Amino acid sequence: MNLHPRTAAVRAALRPGEPSRPVSPPIHLSTTFHRETDGSYAGDYVYSRADNPNRRDLERTLAELEGGGTAFAFASGMAAIHAVFQSLDAGSHVLLPDDVYFNVHRLLDTVFARWGLTYTRANMADADAVRAGLRKETALVWIESPSNPRLKVTDVAAVTALAHDHGALVAADNTWLTPVIYRPFVEGVDVVVHSTTKYFGGHSDVLGGATIAHPAAPEWLTKRLGEVQRFGGSVPSPFDCWLARRGTTTLHLRAVAQSQTALSLAKFLNEHPKIERVNYPGLEGHPGHALARRNWRNGYGGMLSLEVRGGVEAARKVANGLRLFTQATSLGGVESLVEHRRSVEGPDSPTPNNLLRLSIGLEDGEDLIRDFERVLESV
Ligand SMILES: *Cc1c(COP(=O)(O)O)cnc(C)c1O
């Protein structure tokens, strides 16, 4: 049966087979599994770092929802990202978005600089810039769409075609949109990465990450990603896998609701005289709107950012005055968050000082708008 993703997400969680026949899967804490007298493993598991039932459950669900081949779960999003770079040959060159998630270039500047991995950055919204950034030794192009925190939208199909012509692989970080809104494999990307800490977990209570390879990705890539997971050992605990997998059953409903609320708040803020700019691809005036409308489904995501008139002082006043937005980093949880992004990214950040990033939760949209209305009157 060809199931709607909502149905698939719920049904994927129901895999009976335990002797007690539970409806919700148990958490398998055992680190090791019985060996038979003939040396075989009847249960198909040997040792929990190599594989365990909760991790396999999560990995199968993630692969199914992304429409991918093999998924590997990691202890965090950064561990998953690390695994992709570690699967490249030493000395490779990587092309990154100019506004890549700041921890990615930190990882490359520190850990991978010692491996001779080099990178350059390009504006991924500009095909000429991407073409100019590709080199003979470019092994990978990294895509984050929409970008953080200004929500630039990349033409993934166009960038992927350029990279493939050049013999480079393409990785897409799909954390912000999730497969509910966007499926990078449809546009030919080779590997998708996620921080499952965000929308998959959905409740700000579990760290995790995953890599998912395209069903037709080169065999060596899948093999190496699996080696980094099993032998590198940055694996999530069974409980973490259980929580992330449970989150997938409500992901669709959450992502749709969060997108709807984000759009109505973005429209309100976009009209407000005290706001200089709203970055949200769901707004018709956003430079990535046409691309997003063509390639995304079910909404435009639950993340947006705004630039407050009056500089950093005014921006801080807004963040401090909001009652229904908790000041914290991260995203994708049931509670709305606000963050002064530049102070998190550090002094070399290109992010404007009056920018606030919002992660929209599951509160009522009208309540969130009223909260902004009240606080903007006072700045
Ligand atoms: C949070 C985040 C990461 C890092 O994930 P962790 O789970 O915090 O390690 C990577 N990419 C994006 C887009 C993120 O938002």
Side-chain angles (χ1 to χ4, degrees), residues 73-96:
F74 289 86
S76 68
M78 284 309 299
I81 290 168
H82 184 272
V84 174
F85 292 117
Q86 212 161 38
S87 298
L88 303 177
D89 292 329
S92 295
H93 171 259
V94 179
L95 193 61
L96 300 181

Side-chain angles (χ1 to χ4, degrees), residues 273-289:
K274 297 206 174 141
I275 302 296
E276 197 172 296
R277 182 209 294 270
V278 179
N279 301 304
Y280 189 64
L283 295 174
E284 275 170 28
H286 186 278
H289 179 69

